[in-house]
Amino acid sequence: MAKINPFHVAKQQIDRCAEILNLAPNVTAMLKTPMRELHVSLAVRMDDGSVKIFQGFRVQYNDAKGITKGGIRFHPDETIDTVRALAAWMTWKCALLDLPLGGAKGGVICNPKEMSVGELERLSRAYMRGVFQFIGPEKDVPAPDVYTTPQIMAWMMDEYSAIAGKPQFGVITGKPLPVGGSPGRGDATARGGMYTIREAAKTLGIDLSKATVAVQGYGNAGYHAARLCGELFGSRILAVCDSKGGVYCEAGIDPEAAFACKAETSSVCNLPNMERISMEELLELDVDILIPAAIENVITDKNASNIKAKIVAELANGPTTPEADDILFRNGVHVIPDFLCNAGGVTVSYFEMVQNFYMYSWEEAEVRERLDKRMTAAYHSVLNTSREYKINMRQAAYVQAVERVVEAMKLRGWV
Ligand code: GLU
């Protein structure tokens, strides 16, 4: 099967939104085009003494609403079009949450699972040197994403500061706490998603304390989501999986045991005394809540009609294709779209930026309260728009976000 190009998906989504909002062709064209992008070749000394060249990207999609913001992915299948799509989604995400930010994304084609700590540090520093001229605390602020970590953020911040000749904590978010990180950033993506699940459950009349959950992907977002579903709601985790496979257990899976198993054996699929299942099977389980928390295009026209979950909470970016969206909507599945559901990460990143600018630190409780307020408000305004226009939740999120970006572009005299 041909790979689905995420940027084609992102542009298709804009076309659908432009139709609903009756946007002028020049406005639509601008929304479908990245404002600026940088391609860099990074020469990195490997442990065996050889020098390997890696390709990296940074796409600043649209800065009509402010400093551009978005993570950096380290992934073997990274492409410029994936980064463009992710940068576009960051633009809508920041606008939807009413953050004074534009959207960007970065990526490096590499396989961090096959690299030593030293190689990863040298690659991270090389990336920062490559994009140094292009980013900055008042220009474009990266963050963690797939396979990048707070430690990687710390190295990148250090490299940027060394070149700038002064500490520049605000150049990147998702840092460890002792070097300018924000309390609550670690699980912010999952926690923000939980607030939207809580509101969706109220809307649909689902009792979360009796709900069952399946989690696809067990990185930062997936693990914290599984943990918080139990902690905050008392829901039962029936299945989890990662890129190597998954497990199912009717009695429920302990998220911490799954985390420990992944740390020790590199996959949750080695959890003892459980039924093994594939990712495909997990997605089609009869659960109340399905949480895709890994990468793009896992729910497509091939499997959408088999999805039995009542709520699909998209903690990943771009897990559902437009064709699959239509099928889910027709079947009455309540989708909490990615750039609403996973916006908790960038929202707390924004809080981190504010704290870095002010040289001040908030308590974790304050971060959580502010996050809850923004996520809850965003969820309900998307729900209201979807009811008002009789469109699905993703289209409603697009309508809101794009309206705000277009308003800013008009006020600035761009269109
Ligand atoms: N990588 C996260 C996302 O896709 C966070 C981005 C950020 O914090 O800037 O939303």
Side-chain angles (χ1 to χ4, degrees):
M1 198 186 74
K3 268 211 162 159
I4 300 164
N5 181 324
F7 193 42
H8 290 174
V9 172
K11 287 193 283 192
Q12 229 175 313
Q13 290 166 338
I14 285 295
D15 280 331
R16 285 178 169 208
C17 176
E19 217 173 287
I20 299 167
L21 287 175
N22 206 8
L23 294 180
N26 62 336
V27 176
T28 310
M30 194 145 187
L31 296 173
K32 286 164 72 176
T33 318
M35 194 181 70
R36 196 177 298 127
E37 53 186 53
L38 181 67
H39 297 228
V40 288
S41 297
L42 310 170
V44 177
R45 177 82 57 195
M46 306 305 279
D47 290 348
D48 66 4
S50 67
V51 171
K52 199 169 160 184
I53 309 293
F54 293 89
Q55 292 304 312
F57 314 105
R58 183 75 184 165
V59 175
Q60 295 167 350
Y61 198 83
N62 185 305
D63 68 357
K65 286 191 65 69
I67 300 166
T68 49
K69 188 84 193 78
I72 300 167
R73 306 204 314 174
F74 281 2
H75 200 276
D77 299 329
E78 198 62 281
T79 66
I80 182 64
D81 268 350
T82 311
V83 181
R84 286 176 179 138
L86 291 159
W89 291 328
M90 283 310 304
T91 308
W92 322 135
K93 194 182 302 189
C94 293
L96 184 66
L97 269 290
D98 235 342
L99 308 177
L101 300 169
K105 203 77 169 199
V108 178
I109 308 172
C110 67
N111 189 350
K113 291 182 182 170
E114 289 170 0
M115 296 171 71
S116 71
V117 174
E119 289 169 345
L120 266 180
E121 175 173 354
R122 292 191 291 278
L123 176 64
S124 304
R125 291 183 183 277
Y127 181 81
M128 221 8 144
R129 288 194 298 276
V131 301
F132 177 84
Q133 303 284 350
F134 201 61
I135 66 159
E138 293 175 337
K139 265 201 264 191
D140 178 19
V141 178
D145 202 283
V146 173
Y147 296 154
T148 50
T149 59
Q151 174 62 74
I152 290 177
M153 300 304 110
W155 290 325
M156 289 188 174
M157 178 278 288
D158 181 71
E159 191 68 21
Y160 187 94
S161 300
I163 303 170
K166 54 189 172 186
Q168 292 278 275
F169 285 3
V171 72
I172 205 159
T173 58
K175 301 178 294 292
L177 271 180
V179 285
S182 172
R185 179 64 183 85
D187 67 6
T189 304
R191 190 174 289 274
M194 292 303 123
Y195 298 141
T196 66
I197 291 173
R198 181 192 65 203
E199 297 307 305
K202 276 189 216 157
T203 307
L204 302 178
I206 294 174
D207 177 356
L208 285 174
S209 70
K210 297 193 176 73
T212 53
V213 183
V215 182
Q216 179 251 338
Y218 218 71
N220 178 275
Y223 156 61
H224 285 299
R227 178 178 66 79
L228 290 171
C229 273
E231 241 174 72
L232 300 178
F233 310 136
S235 307
R236 184 157 42 105
I237 312 299
L238 285 193
V240 295
C241 76
D242 55 34
S243 59
K244 299 201 172 90
V247 283
Y248 174 90
C249 180
E250 187 59 36
I253 294 168
D254 171 9
E256 298 301 343
F259 182 81
C261 178
K262 188 172 170 74
E264 278 158 32
T265 72
S266 89
S267 175
V268 294
C269 72
N270 299 316
L271 264 174
N273 308 323
M274 286 189 191
E275 201 180 311
R276 287 264 199 136
I277 56 166
S278 66
M279 178 191 92
E280 289 75 17
E281 289 167 327
L282 179 142
L283 294 171
E284 297 178 11
L285 284 176
D286 190 2
V287 288
D288 296 301
I289 302 163
L290 172 64
I291 306 183
I295 50 170
E296 314 85 56
N297 301 327
V298 292
I299 304 177
T300 68
D301 54 344
K302 305 280 179 295
N303 62 357
S305 53
N306 300 330
I307 303 277
K308 297 174 197 70
K310 297 185 185 74
I311 296 174
V312 174
E314 297 182 339
L315 276 187
N317 288 308
T320 309
T321 65
E323 296 76 23
D325 255 341
D326 292 338
I327 299 169
L328 295 177
F329 189 50
R330 259 202 316 274
N331 291 348
V333 179
H334 187 79
V335 176
I336 310 174
D338 52 1
F339 67 86
L340 168 61
C341 190
N342 70 30
V346 73
T347 301
V348 177
S349 273
Y350 163 63
F351 297 160
E352 185 172 329
M353 285 172 75
V354 172
Q355 292 169 82
N356 289 162
F357 274 127
Y358 274 91
M359 290 184 59
Y360 191 77
S361 181
W362 301 343
E363 304 277 329
E364 185 158 35
E366 184 172 355
V367 169
R368 287 184 185 170
E369 199 185 309
R370 287 176 187 266
L371 176 64
D372 191 348
K373 225 170 163 176
R374 283 192 184 253
M375 297 299 298
T376 302
Y379 173 84
H380 285 288
S381 67
V382 170
L383 182 68
N384 290 341
T385 303
S386 89
R387 286 176 171 165
E388 186 188 324
Y389 285 78
K390 298 192 173 38
I391 51 180
N392 69 39
M393 289 286 281
R394 185 175 333 272
Q395 286 165 337
Y398 260 97
V399 164
Q400 290 225 329
V402 166
E403 259 182 341
R404 288 183 187 153
V405 174
V406 170
E407 183 188 30
M409 294 200 307
K410 284 192 176 147
L411 285 168
R412 295 181 65 166
W414 293 2
V415 285

